[in-house]
Amino acid sequence: MISRTKEKLAEAFKNVVGRKTFAKTTIVDITTECGMTRENFYYHFHDKYEILKWVCQNELVLCIPETINKKTVEEAIIRLVGVINKDYKFYRTIV
């Protein structure tokens, strides 16, 4: 089960990165965005690189099924495009 705190931090992270850039985003920006403390952040993540990895693993990698065939590849691509489209500003900034 995914921690609701991690989800809130991740959503705040995506919002901040979408407005700023990854390089300019700070932990204070992220915690201020979601109304949490720095201690909350550091309890769940070591730094902004770890939260970036967590977001990518939980939003992008999970779209790809473990066993692949033609049908599942097509479905995975559709899901991936949907996830990226939903948070377009964030993913564009990251790339």
Side-chain angles (χ1 to χ4, degrees):
M1 185 171 120
I2 295 176
S3 159
R4 182 67 190 128
T5 302
K6 279 188 172 186
E7 287 178 339
K8 285 180 72 174
L9 287 164
E11 197 60 38
F13 171 69
K14 291 186 301 182
N15 290 339
V16 173
V17 170
R19 286 193 311 268
K20 293 178 131 188
T21 65
F22 179 77
K24 291 182 181 178
T25 296
T26 65
I27 304 308
V28 171
D29 294 332
I30 298 165
T31 56
T32 300
E33 178 78 12
C34 64
M36 292 189 190
T37 64
R38 288 172 41 119
E39 290 79 12
N40 275 119
F41 180 90
Y42 287 115
Y43 180 80
H44 294 283
F45 302 104
H46 291 102
D47 54 26
K48 65 183 182 179
Y49 296 94
E50 187 174 350
I51 195 170
L52 173 62
K53 178 182 175 184
W54 189 88
V55 166
C56 291
Q57 284 179 326
N58 284 279
E59 291 190 357
L60 301 178
V61 174
L62 292 180
C63 288
I64 302 168
E66 294 201 16
T67 56
I68 300 288
N69 61 44
K70 183 178 178 182
K71 182 179 180 190
T72 55
V73 167
E74 291 169 2
E75 290 170 354
I77 290 170
I78 290 167
R79 281 187 297 223
L80 247 147
V81 169
V83 167
I84 292 169
N85 191 44
K86 177 180 165 269
D87 291 312
Y88 175 76
K89 285 183 178 181
F90 169 74
Y91 287 107
R92 180 180 172 139
T93 301
I94 292 299
V95 171

CSV table of all heavy atoms in Angstrom, one decimal, residues 11-54:
chain,number,residue,atom,x,y,z
A,11,GLU,N,2.7,14.8,-5.1
A,11,GLU,CA,1.8,15.7,-5.9
A,11,GLU,C,2.3,17.1,-5.7
A,11,GLU,O,2.4,17.9,-6.7
A,11,GLU,CB,0.4,15.6,-5.3
A,11,GLU,CG,-0.6,16.2,-6.3
A,11,GLU,CD,-0.7,15.5,-7.6
A,11,GLU,OE1,-0.5,14.3,-7.7
A,11,GLU,OE2,-0.9,16.3,-8.6
A,12,ALA,N,2.8,17.5,-4.5
A,12,ALA,CA,3.3,18.8,-4.3
A,12,ALA,C,4.6,19.0,-5.1
A,12,ALA,O,4.8,20.0,-5.7
A,12,ALA,CB,3.6,19.0,-2.8
A,13,PHE,N,5.4,18.0,-5.1
A,13,PHE,CA,6.7,18.0,-5.9
A,13,PHE,C,6.4,18.2,-7.4
A,13,PHE,O,7.0,19.1,-8.0
A,13,PHE,CB,7.4,16.6,-5.7
A,13,PHE,CG,8.6,16.4,-6.6
A,13,PHE,CD1,9.8,17.2,-6.4
A,13,PHE,CD2,8.6,15.4,-7.6
A,13,PHE,CE1,10.9,17.0,-7.2
A,13,PHE,CE2,9.7,15.2,-8.4
A,13,PHE,CZ,10.8,16.0,-8.2
A,14,LYS,N,5.4,17.5,-7.9
A,14,LYS,CA,5.1,17.7,-9.3
A,14,LYS,C,4.6,19.1,-9.6
A,14,LYS,O,4.9,19.7,-10.6
A,14,LYS,CB,4.1,16.6,-9.8
A,14,LYS,CG,4.6,15.2,-9.8
A,14,LYS,CD,3.7,14.2,-10.4
A,14,LYS,CE,2.4,14.1,-9.6
A,14,LYS,NZ,1.4,13.1,-10.2
A,15,ASN,N,3.7,19.6,-8.7
A,15,ASN,CA,3.2,20.9,-8.9
A,15,ASN,C,4.3,22.0,-8.9
A,15,ASN,O,4.4,22.9,-9.8
A,15,ASN,CB,2.2,21.3,-7.8
A,15,ASN,CG,0.9,20.5,-7.9
A,15,ASN,OD1,0.6,20.0,-9.0
A,15,ASN,ND2,0.2,20.4,-6.8
A,16,VAL,N,5.2,21.9,-7.9
A,16,VAL,CA,6.3,22.8,-7.8
A,16,VAL,C,7.3,22.7,-9.0
A,16,VAL,O,7.6,23.8,-9.6
A,16,VAL,CB,7.1,22.7,-6.5
A,16,VAL,CG1,8.3,23.6,-6.5
A,16,VAL,CG2,6.2,23.0,-5.3
A,17,VAL,N,7.7,21.5,-9.4
A,17,VAL,CA,8.6,21.4,-10.6
A,17,VAL,C,7.9,21.9,-11.8
A,17,VAL,O,8.6,22.4,-12.7
A,17,VAL,CB,9.0,19.9,-10.7
A,17,VAL,CG1,9.7,19.7,-12.0
A,17,VAL,CG2,9.9,19.5,-9.5
A,18,GLY,N,6.6,21.7,-11.9
A,18,GLY,CA,5.9,22.2,-13.1
A,18,GLY,C,5.9,23.7,-13.2
A,18,GLY,O,5.8,24.2,-14.3
A,19,ARG,N,5.9,24.4,-12.1
A,19,ARG,CA,6.0,25.8,-12.1
A,19,ARG,C,7.4,26.4,-12.2
A,19,ARG,O,7.7,27.4,-12.8
A,19,ARG,CB,5.4,26.4,-10.8
A,19,ARG,CG,3.9,26.3,-10.8
A,19,ARG,CD,3.3,27.1,-9.6
A,19,ARG,NE,3.9,26.9,-8.3
A,19,ARG,CZ,3.5,26.1,-7.4
A,19,ARG,NH1,2.5,25.3,-7.7
A,19,ARG,NH2,4.1,26.0,-6.3
A,20,LYS,N,8.3,25.7,-11.5
A,20,LYS,CA,9.7,26.1,-11.5
A,20,LYS,C,10.5,25.2,-12.4
A,20,LYS,O,10.0,25.0,-13.5
A,20,LYS,CB,10.3,26.0,-10.1
A,20,LYS,CG,9.7,27.0,-9.1
A,20,LYS,CD,10.2,26.7,-7.7
A,20,LYS,CE,10.7,28.0,-7.1
A,20,LYS,NZ,11.4,27.8,-5.8
A,21,THR,N,11.6,24.8,-12.0
A,21,THR,CA,12.4,23.7,-12.7
A,21,THR,C,12.8,22.7,-11.6
A,21,THR,O,12.8,23.1,-10.4
A,21,THR,CB,13.6,24.2,-13.4
A,21,THR,OG1,14.5,24.8,-12.4
A,21,THR,CG2,13.3,25.3,-14.4
A,22,PHE,N,13.3,21.6,-12.0
A,22,PHE,CA,13.8,20.6,-11.0
A,22,PHE,C,14.9,21.2,-10.3
A,22,PHE,O,15.0,21.1,-9.0
A,22,PHE,CB,14.2,19.3,-11.7
A,22,PHE,CG,14.7,18.3,-10.8
A,22,PHE,CD1,13.8,17.5,-10.0
A,22,PHE,CD2,16.1,18.1,-10.7
A,22,PHE,CE1,14.3,16.6,-9.1
A,22,PHE,CE2,16.6,17.1,-9.8
A,22,PHE,CZ,15.7,16.4,-9.0
A,23,ALA,N,15.9,21.8,-11.0
A,23,ALA,CA,17.1,22.4,-10.4
A,23,ALA,C,16.7,23.5,-9.3
A,23,ALA,O,17.4,23.6,-8.3
A,23,ALA,CB,18.0,23.0,-11.4
A,24,LYS,N,15.7,24.2,-9.6
A,24,LYS,CA,15.3,25.3,-8.6
A,24,LYS,C,14.3,24.9,-7.5
A,24,LYS,O,14.1,25.7,-6.6
A,24,LYS,CB,14.7,26.5,-9.4
A,24,LYS,CG,15.7,27.2,-10.3
A,24,LYS,CD,15.1,28.4,-11.1
A,24,LYS,CE,16.1,29.0,-12.0
A,24,LYS,NZ,15.5,30.1,-12.7
A,25,THR,N,13.8,23.7,-7.6
A,25,THR,CA,12.9,23.2,-6.6
A,25,THR,C,13.7,22.8,-5.3
A,25,THR,O,14.7,22.1,-5.4
A,25,THR,CB,12.1,22.0,-7.1
A,25,THR,OG1,11.3,22.5,-8.2
A,25,THR,CG2,11.2,21.4,-6.1
A,26,THR,N,13.2,23.3,-4.2
A,26,THR,CA,13.8,23.0,-2.9
A,26,THR,C,12.8,22.1,-2.1
A,26,THR,O,11.6,22.1,-2.4
A,26,THR,CB,14.1,24.3,-2.1
A,26,THR,OG1,12.9,24.9,-1.8
A,26,THR,CG2,15.0,25.2,-2.9
A,27,ILE,N,13.3,21.5,-1.0
A,27,ILE,CA,12.5,20.8,-0.1
A,27,ILE,C,11.5,21.7,0.5
A,27,ILE,O,10.3,21.3,0.7
A,27,ILE,CB,13.4,20.0,0.9
A,27,ILE,CG1,14.5,19.1,0.3
A,27,ILE,CG2,12.5,19.2,1.9
A,27,ILE,CD1,14.0,18.2,-0.8
A,28,VAL,N,11.9,22.9,0.9
A,28,VAL,CA,11.0,23.8,1.5
A,28,VAL,C,9.8,24.2,0.5
A,28,VAL,O,8.7,24.2,0.9
A,28,VAL,CB,11.7,25.1,1.9
A,28,VAL,CG1,10.7,26.2,2.3
A,28,VAL,CG2,12.7,24.8,3.0
A,29,ASP,N,10.1,24.3,-0.8
A,29,ASP,CA,9.1,24.5,-1.8
A,29,ASP,C,8.0,23.4,-1.7
A,29,ASP,O,6.8,23.6,-1.7
A,29,ASP,CB,9.6,24.6,-3.2
A,29,ASP,CG,10.5,25.8,-3.4
A,29,ASP,OD1,10.3,26.8,-2.8
A,29,ASP,OD2,11.4,25.7,-4.3
A,30,ILE,N,8.5,22.2,-1.7
A,30,ILE,CA,7.7,21.0,-1.7
A,30,ILE,C,6.8,20.9,-0.4
A,30,ILE,O,5.6,20.7,-0.5
A,30,ILE,CB,8.5,19.7,-1.9
A,30,ILE,CG1,9.3,19.7,-3.2
A,30,ILE,CG2,7.6,18.4,-1.8
A,30,ILE,CD1,10.4,18.7,-3.3
A,31,THR,N,7.5,21.1,0.7
A,31,THR,CA,6.7,21.0,2.0
A,31,THR,C,5.7,22.1,2.2
A,31,THR,O,4.6,21.9,2.7
A,31,THR,CB,7.7,20.8,3.2
A,31,THR,OG1,8.6,22.0,3.2
A,31,THR,CG2,8.5,19.5,3.1
A,32,THR,N,6.1,23.3,1.7
A,32,THR,CA,5.2,24.4,1.8
A,32,THR,C,4.0,24.2,0.9
A,32,THR,O,2.8,24.5,1.3
A,32,THR,CB,5.9,25.7,1.4
A,32,THR,OG1,7.0,26.0,2.3
A,32,THR,CG2,5.0,26.9,1.4
A,33,GLU,N,4.2,23.6,-0.3
A,33,GLU,CA,3.1,23.4,-1.2
A,33,GLU,C,2.0,22.4,-0.6
A,33,GLU,O,0.8,22.6,-0.9
A,33,GLU,CB,3.7,22.7,-2.5
A,33,GLU,CG,2.7,22.4,-3.5
A,33,GLU,CD,2.1,23.5,-4.4
A,33,GLU,OE1,2.7,24.6,-4.3
A,33,GLU,OE2,1.2,23.3,-5.1
A,34,CYS,N,2.5,21.5,0.2
A,34,CYS,CA,1.5,20.5,0.7
A,34,CYS,C,1.2,20.7,2.2
A,34,CYS,O,0.5,19.9,2.8
A,34,CYS,CB,1.9,19.1,0.4
A,34,CYS,SG,3.4,18.6,1.2
A,35,GLY,N,1.8,21.7,2.8
A,35,GLY,CA,1.5,22.0,4.2
A,35,GLY,C,2.1,21.0,5.2
A,35,GLY,O,1.6,20.8,6.2
A,36,MET,N,3.3,20.5,4.8
A,36,MET,CA,3.9,19.5,5.7
A,36,MET,C,5.3,20.1,6.2
A,36,MET,O,5.7,21.2,5.7
A,36,MET,CB,4.2,18.2,5.0
A,36,MET,CG,3.0,17.4,4.7
A,36,MET,SD,3.4,15.8,4.1
A,36,MET,CE,1.8,15.2,3.6
A,37,THR,N,5.9,19.4,7.1
A,37,THR,CA,7.2,19.9,7.6
A,37,THR,C,8.3,19.2,6.8
A,37,THR,O,8.1,18.2,6.2
A,37,THR,CB,7.4,19.6,9.1
A,37,THR,OG1,7.4,18.1,9.2
A,37,THR,CG2,6.2,20.2,9.9
A,38,ARG,N,9.5,19.8,6.9
A,38,ARG,CA,10.7,19.2,6.3
A,38,ARG,C,11.0,17.8,6.9
A,38,ARG,O,11.4,16.9,6.3
A,38,ARG,CB,11.9,20.1,6.5
A,38,ARG,CG,11.9,21.4,5.7
A,38,ARG,CD,13.0,22.3,6.1
A,38,ARG,NE,14.3,21.6,6.4
A,38,ARG,CZ,15.4,21.8,5.7
A,38,ARG,NH1,15.5,22.7,4.7
A,38,ARG,NH2,16.5,21.1,6.0
A,39,GLU,N,10.7,17.7,8.2
A,39,GLU,CA,10.8,16.4,8.9
A,39,GLU,C,10.0,15.3,8.2
A,39,GLU,O,10.4,14.2,8.1
A,39,GLU,CB,10.5,16.5,10.4
A,39,GLU,CG,11.5,17.3,11.2
A,39,GLU,CD,11.4,18.8,11.1
A,39,GLU,OE1,10.3,19.3,10.5
A,39,GLU,OE2,12.3,19.5,11.5
A,40,ASN,N,8.7,15.7,7.9
A,40,ASN,CA,7.9,14.7,7.1
A,40,ASN,C,8.6,14.3,5.9
A,40,ASN,O,8.6,13.1,5.5
A,40,ASN,CB,6.5,15.4,6.8
A,40,ASN,CG,5.5,15.3,7.9
A,40,ASN,OD1,5.1,16.3,8.3
A,40,ASN,ND2,5.2,14.1,8.2
A,41,PHE,N,9.1,15.3,5.1
A,41,PHE,CA,9.7,15.0,3.9
A,41,PHE,C,10.9,14.0,4.1
A,41,PHE,O,11.0,13.0,3.4
A,41,PHE,CB,10.2,16.2,3.2
A,41,PHE,CG,10.9,15.9,1.8
A,41,PHE,CD1,10.2,15.9,0.7
A,41,PHE,CD2,12.3,15.6,1.8
A,41,PHE,CE1,10.8,15.6,-0.5
A,41,PHE,CE2,12.9,15.3,0.6
A,41,PHE,CZ,12.1,15.3,-0.6
A,42,TYR,N,11.8,14.3,5.0
A,42,TYR,CA,13.0,13.5,5.2
A,42,TYR,C,12.7,12.2,5.9
A,42,TYR,O,13.5,11.3,5.8
A,42,TYR,CB,14.0,14.3,6.0
A,42,TYR,CG,14.7,15.4,5.2
A,42,TYR,CD1,14.5,16.7,5.5
A,42,TYR,CD2,15.4,15.1,4.1
A,42,TYR,CE1,15.0,17.7,4.7
A,42,TYR,CE2,16.0,16.1,3.3
A,42,TYR,CZ,15.8,17.4,3.6
A,42,TYR,OH,16.4,18.4,2.9
A,43,TYR,N,11.5,12.0,6.5
A,43,TYR,CA,11.1,10.7,7.0
A,43,TYR,C,10.9,9.8,5.8
A,43,TYR,O,11.2,8.6,5.9
A,43,TYR,CB,9.9,10.8,7.9
A,43,TYR,CG,9.4,9.5,8.4
A,43,TYR,CD1,10.1,8.9,9.5
A,43,TYR,CD2,8.4,8.8,7.8
A,43,TYR,CE1,9.6,7.7,10.0
A,43,TYR,CE2,8.0,7.6,8.3
A,43,TYR,CZ,8.6,7.0,9.4
A,43,TYR,OH,8.2,5.8,9.9
A,44,HIS,N,10.3,10.3,4.7
A,44,HIS,CA,10.0,9.5,3.6
A,44,HIS,C,11.0,9.5,2.4
A,44,HIS,O,11.1,8.5,1.7
A,44,HIS,CB,8.6,10.0,3.0
A,44,HIS,CG,7.5,9.7,4.0
A,44,HIS,ND1,6.9,8.5,4.2
A,44,HIS,CD2,6.9,10.6,4.8
A,44,HIS,CE1,6.0,8.6,5.2
A,44,HIS,NE2,5.9,9.9,5.6
A,45,PHE,N,11.7,10.5,2.3
A,45,PHE,CA,12.7,10.7,1.2
A,45,PHE,C,14.0,11.3,1.6
A,45,PHE,O,13.9,12.1,2.5
A,45,PHE,CB,12.1,11.5,0.0
A,45,PHE,CG,10.8,11.0,-0.5
A,45,PHE,CD1,9.6,11.6,-0.2
A,45,PHE,CD2,10.8,9.9,-1.4
A,45,PHE,CE1,8.4,11.2,-0.7
A,45,PHE,CE2,9.6,9.5,-1.9
A,45,PHE,CZ,8.4,10.1,-1.6
A,46,HIS,N,15.1,10.9,1.0
A,46,HIS,CA,16.4,11.5,1.4
A,46,HIS,C,16.6,12.9,0.7
A,46,HIS,O,17.2,13.7,1.3
A,46,HIS,CB,17.5,10.6,1.0
A,46,HIS,CG,17.6,9.3,1.8
A,46,HIS,ND1,17.1,8.1,1.3
A,46,HIS,CD2,18.0,9.1,3.1
A,46,HIS,CE1,17.3,7.2,2.3
A,46,HIS,NE2,17.8,7.8,3.3
A,47,ASP,N,16.1,13.0,-0.5
A,47,ASP,CA,16.3,14.2,-1.2
A,47,ASP,C,15.3,14.3,-2.4
A,47,ASP,O,14.5,13.4,-2.6
A,47,ASP,CB,17.8,14.4,-1.7
A,47,ASP,CG,18.2,13.2,-2.5
A,47,ASP,OD1,17.4,12.5,-3.1
A,47,ASP,OD2,19.4,12.9,-2.5
A,48,LYS,N,15.4,15.4,-3.2
A,48,LYS,CA,14.5,15.5,-4.3
A,48,LYS,C,14.8,14.5,-5.4
A,48,LYS,O,13.9,14.2,-6.2
A,48,LYS,CB,14.5,16.9,-4.9
A,48,LYS,CG,15.8,17.4,-5.5
A,48,LYS,CD,15.7,18.8,-5.9
A,48,LYS,CE,16.9,19.3,-6.6
A,48,LYS,NZ,16.7,20.7,-7.0
A,49,TYR,N,16.0,13.9,-5.5
A,49,TYR,CA,16.2,12.9,-6.5
A,49,TYR,C,15.5,11.6,-6.1
A,49,TYR,O,15.0,10.9,-7.0
A,49,TYR,CB,17.7,12.6,-6.6
A,49,TYR,CG,18.5,13.8,-7.1
A,49,TYR,CD1,19.1,14.7,-6.2
A,49,TYR,CD2,18.6,14.1,-8.5
A,49,TYR,CE1,19.7,15.9,-6.7
A,49,TYR,CE2,19.2,15.2,-8.9
A,49,TYR,CZ,19.8,16.1,-8.0
A,49,TYR,OH,20.4,17.2,-8.5
A,50,GLU,N,15.4,11.3,-4.8
A,50,GLU,CA,14.7,10.1,-4.4
A,50,GLU,C,13.2,10.3,-4.7
A,50,GLU,O,12.5,9.3,-5.1
A,50,GLU,CB,14.9,9.8,-3.0
A,50,GLU,CG,14.3,8.5,-2.6
A,50,GLU,CD,14.7,8.1,-1.1
A,50,GLU,OE1,15.6,8.7,-0.5
A,50,GLU,OE2,14.1,7.1,-0.7
A,51,ILE,N,12.6,11.4,-4.4
A,51,ILE,CA,11.2,11.6,-4.7
A,51,ILE,C,10.9,11.6,-6.2
A,51,ILE,O,9.9,11.0,-6.7
A,51,ILE,CB,10.6,12.9,-4.1
A,51,ILE,CG1,9.1,12.9,-4.0
A,51,ILE,CG2,11.1,14.2,-4.7
A,51,ILE,CD1,8.4,13.9,-3.2
A,52,LEU,N,11.8,12.1,-7.0
A,52,LEU,CA,11.7,12.0,-8.5
A,52,LEU,C,11.7,10.5,-8.9
A,52,LEU,O,10.8,10.1,-9.7
A,52,LEU,CB,12.8,12.7,-9.2
A,52,LEU,CG,12.9,12.5,-10.7
A,52,LEU,CD1,11.7,13.0,-11.4
A,52,LEU,CD2,14.2,13.2,-11.3
A,53,LYS,N,12.6,9.7,-8.4
A,53,LYS,CA,12.6,8.3,-8.7
A,53,LYS,C,11.3,7.6,-8.2
A,53,LYS,O,10.8,6.8,-9.0
A,53,LYS,CB,13.8,7.6,-7.9
A,53,LYS,CG,13.9,6.1,-8.1
A,53,LYS,CD,15.1,5.6,-7.3
A,53,LYS,CE,15.1,4.1,-7.4
A,53,LYS,NZ,16.2,3.5,-6.6
A,54,TRP,N,10.8,8.0,-7.0
A,54,TRP,CA,9.6,7.4,-6.5
A,54,TRP,C,8.4,7.7,-7.5
A,54,TRP,O,7.6,6.8,-7.8
A,54,TRP,CB,9.3,7.9,-5.1
A,54,TRP,CG,8.2,7.2,-4.4
A,54,TRP,CD1,8.3,6.0,-3.7
A,54,TRP,CD2,6.8,7.6,-4.4
A,54,TRP,NE1,7.0,5.7,-3.2
A,54,TRP,CE2,6.1,6.6,-3.6
A,54,TRP,CE3,6.1,8.6,-5.0
A,54,TRP,CZ2,4.8,6.7,-3.4
A,54,TRP,CZ3,4.8,8.7,-4.8
A,54,TRP,CH2,4.1,7.7,-4.0
